[in-house]
């Protein structure tokens, strides 16, 4: 009885402490900075008008449910850029409420500064007259808060703490453009667990987020060594750890540890009982409503998938007007599926419209496939679907307009390739890798693209790559990695041998295509080419021969200077690893991304590529491993699993570029 009373008392104390902490944190800011160096605005000025217009409307888009808002308002020197970020576990309504409170506090705390930011427990608000999107903030200082209590066994505590923070940093940095957030716990001893949380603004790149969090974590020993709880806050990222559960969702009930774990779990159980009843009741009403309401219009993707999102559907007349009745002057290209047109909506937004051919049955499956996939995918390195149109025999897909055409337009042109220096080429390789990693691992779905090639990589105004043309892609459940087909579709020069010859495809098929694409970008040459009507040595054979003979610099495009030779050699090495014949030896895109973003990896020795386009002449000898300040070895994983396809087979052969 005494034990139960003690536990109950401890539970109530912990619960009261967390409630008080949360209440006080919400009532006053944790940190705020008014930046005087960026100048002040005067009352009733254009800047103040823009600020007063932007901040109240920052969270007005209720479709944003991931807690990140980044918008601008105004022009030139009076333009206001604002970022609102909520802690990754905060629900949408609570997020918007926190940010609305923050804007009132911030304009009162910093009444006339052009740049300012404020942190509350659950959200951060920041605005400036300079560009702050996608930029790691190094001008504004870090802020620290710590618990007055010290850890007992400092060495063990620090070891567990920094292992936890390192894992969280990697998970958060790998997030997509909506959320870069991670939270977890680690056990120090039977009586102590560390709960950690890290977060970046999602507009940052992998490197930027990783670097920002690295800097924040490295501050812990300097400011707050051995403290049992610490926050480090910066404009672009923040970290926090405590010895009690402070974020939601709470640790699972099965977790064993100190009183904070068990108490938090019990809290979840106490709260969950009435909540479950309410949820069941709500779901019952929803089911009744769905049965009684009038059916809505929809179109069928296949037997398993139906899209009913009418917010994505455009009126045909709207698109017809935007493209000037699909005039030839607005035509961007022609493919087997139909034509692509440039258009402009009445609000000034420029779009690209894919119009399927009316007279051909081909492409209908691809059209539905792209709507299904792209409507669910959001990543900076994937082309963004704005909507679709289904009226009569018209099948239209509307995308963001990407002004610099496709990669093949530049990389294979003797004159235009000069616009792609090595820095741009490396950025393109890294961007494609990130896009594929998102498709294979980080999105809600598992997507195998099946037609990755230079003409399907679009380049935006800053030459950032965007993977396009998902008509041949395949959708799988999370634990599936491949499948097989009797109908081979795609582009021959980029096909993995197991797919070209046996119809077997997997995430490693996309890895093979990425390897070919990487070698093309480095060399500026197509994988296969014709000379006087006869096939000459293809790129894979050429690359392998020079690699084997120690003359890998011959692979590099002569138009590039050798100032980044080490980086170029590493990309050639990656390309050869990706095109190995045995798919189990090819790295995953997670491993490829890690290699591209680190100079401290030892790469495995590549084996002979798959020369399935040419006759085989026998085995080639192994070569020595290339090392780049090595401290670790990238491991590969097998992808021999086969899986059932969730999307019907496509009937078209090859889709030409947009």
């Amino acid at each position: 009885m005494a034990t139960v009373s003690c536990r109950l008392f401890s539970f109530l104390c912990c619960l009261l402490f967390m409630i008080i902490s949360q209440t006080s944190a919400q009532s006053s800011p944790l940190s705020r900075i008014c930046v005087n160096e960026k100048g002040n605005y005067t009352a009733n000025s254009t800047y103040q008008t823009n600020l007063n217009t932007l901040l109240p409307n920052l969270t007005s888009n209720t479709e944003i449910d991931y807690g990140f808002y980044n918008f601008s308002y105004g022009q030139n020197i009076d333009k206001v850029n604002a970022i609102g970020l909520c802690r990754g576990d905060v629900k949408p309504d609570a997020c918007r409420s926190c940010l609305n409170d923050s804007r009132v506090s911030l304009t009162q705390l910093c009444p006339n500064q052009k740049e300012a930011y404020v942190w509350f427990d659950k959200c951060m608000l920041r605005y400036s007259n300079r560009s702050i999107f996608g930029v790691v903030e190094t001008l504004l200082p870090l802020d620290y808060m710590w618990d007055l209590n010290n850890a007992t066994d400092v060495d063990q505590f620090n070891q567990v703490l920094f292992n936890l923070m390192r894992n969280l940093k990697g998970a958060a940095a790998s997030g997509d453009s909506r959320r870069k957030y991670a939270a977890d716990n680690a056990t120090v001893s039977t009586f102590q667990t560390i709960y950690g949380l890290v977060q970046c603004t999602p507009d940052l790149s992998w490197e930027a987020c990783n670097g920002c969090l690295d800097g924040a974590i490295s501050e812990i020993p300097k400011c707050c060594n051995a403290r049992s709880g610490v926050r480090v806050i910066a404009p672009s990222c923040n970290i926090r750890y405590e010895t009690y559960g402070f974020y939601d969702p709470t640790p699972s009930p099965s977790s064993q540890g100190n009183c904070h774990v068990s108490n938090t779990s019990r809290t979840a159980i106490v709260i969950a009982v009435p909540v479950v009843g309410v949820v069941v009741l709500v779901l019952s009403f929803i089911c009744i409503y769905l049965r009684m309401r009038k059916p809505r219009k929809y179109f069928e993707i296949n037997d398993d998938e139906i899209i009913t999102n009418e917010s994505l559907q455009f009126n045909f007349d709207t698109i017809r007007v935007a493209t000037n009745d699909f005039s030839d002057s607005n035509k961007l290209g022609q493919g087997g599926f139909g034509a692509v047109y440039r258009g402009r909506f009445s609000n000034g937004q420029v779009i690209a419209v894919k119009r399927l051919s009316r007279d051909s049955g081909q492409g209908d499956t691809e059209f539905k496939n792209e709507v299904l996939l792209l409507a669910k995918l959001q990543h900076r390195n994937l082309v963004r679907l704005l909507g679709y149109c289904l009226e009569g025999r018209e099948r239209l897909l509307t995308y963001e307009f990407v002004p610099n055409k496709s990669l093949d337009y530049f990389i294979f042109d003797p004159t235009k390739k000069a616009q792609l220096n090595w820095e741009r080429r490396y950025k393109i390789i890294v961007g494609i890798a990130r896009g594929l990693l998102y498709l294979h691992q980080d999105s809600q779905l598992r997507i195998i693209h099946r037609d990755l090639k230079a003409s399907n990589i679009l380049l935006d105004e800053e030459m950032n790559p965007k993977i396009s043309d998902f008509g041949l892609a395949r959708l799988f459940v999370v634990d599936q990695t491949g499948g097989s087909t009797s109908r081979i579709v795609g582009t021959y020069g980029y096909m993995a041998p197991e797919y070209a010859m046996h119809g077997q495809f997997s995430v490693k098929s996309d890895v093979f295509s990425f390897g070919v694409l990487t070698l093309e970008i480095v060399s500026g040459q197509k994988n296969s080419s014709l000379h006087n009507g006869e096939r000459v040595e293809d790129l894979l054979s050429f690359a392998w021969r020079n690699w084997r003979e120690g003359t890998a610099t011959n692979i590099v495009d002569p138009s590039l200077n050798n100032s980044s030779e080490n980086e170029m050699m590493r990309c050639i090495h990656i390309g050869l690893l990706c095109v190995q014949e045995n798919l189990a030896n090819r790295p995953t895109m997670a491993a490829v991304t890690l290699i591209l973003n680190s100079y401290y990896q030892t790469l495995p020795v590549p084996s002979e590529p798959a020369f399935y386009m040419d006759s085989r002449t026998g085995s080639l000898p192994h070569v020595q491993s290339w090392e780049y300040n090595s401290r670790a070895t990238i491991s590969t994983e097998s992808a021999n699993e086969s899986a059932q396809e969730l999307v019907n087979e496509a009937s078209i052969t090859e889709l030409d570029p947009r």
Side-chain angles (χ1 to χ4, degrees), residues 357-421:
S357 173
R358 297 183 182 183
D359 301 324
S360 174
Q362 290 185 331
D364 218 35
T365 300
E366 288 72 26
F367 168 82
K368 297 175 181 179
N369 207 21
E370 288 207 57
V371 174
L372 166 65
L373 298 181
L374 287 179
K376 298 180 181 180
L377 299 175
Q378 295 291 331
H379 191 273
R380 63 180 297 179
N381 295 120
L382 303 182
V383 68
R384 185 161 60 95
L385 178 73
L386 302 178
Y388 65 91
C389 174
L390 278 167
E391 288 191 22
R393 297 176 62 189
E394 292 289 350
R395 300 288 185 269
L396 306 173
L397 287 169
T398 305
Y399 299 93
E400 62 174 325
F401 179 72
V402 184
N404 279 325
K405 299 187 178 182
S406 55
L407 176 61
D408 65 321
Y409 178 78
F410 291 92
I411 199 68
F412 301 138
D413 186 282
T415 303
K416 295 184 177 65
K417 69 168 60 177
Q419 299 178 42
L420 297 181
N421 59 21

Side-chain angles (χ1 to χ4, degrees), residues 15 37 46 87 151 158 185 283 425 437 455 507 510 599 609 628-629:
L15 180 60
E37 293 81 3
T46 303
R87 208 172 68 190
N158 283 342
N185 65 77
L283 289 176
R425 296 192 196 197
L437 176 61
S455 59
V507 290
D510 280 353
Y599 291 88
Y628 306 93
N629 302 321

Side-chain angles (χ1 to χ4, degrees), residues 27-49:
S27 60
S28 60
L30 300 173
S31 175
R32 57 98 176 175
I33 292 180
C34 308
V35 185
N36 295 316
E37 293 81 3
K38 299 303 174 183
N40 298 335
Y41 61 84
T42 57
N44 301 319
S45 64
T46 303
Y47 188 88
Q48 184 182 34
T49 301

Side-chain angles (χ1 to χ4, degrees), residues 379-383 427 430-432 434-435 464-468:
H379 191 273
R380 63 180 297 179
N381 295 120
L382 303 182
V383 68
K427 182 172 72 170
V430 172
I432 297 169
R434 287 184 187 148
N464 294 308
K466 293 179 179 289
I467 300 173
S468 67

Side-chain angles (χ1 to χ4, degrees), residues 64-93:
I64 296 179
D65 60 359
Y66 43 87
F68 177 58
Y69 302 83
N70 57 333
F71 296 101
S72 300
Y73 191 82
Q75 300 292 330
N76 303 322
I77 61 173
D78 293 313
K79 184 177 182 180
V80 182
N81 304 297
I83 289 178
L85 176 69
C86 289
R87 208 172 68 190
D89 61 323
V90 175
K91 301 297 185 292
D93 288 343

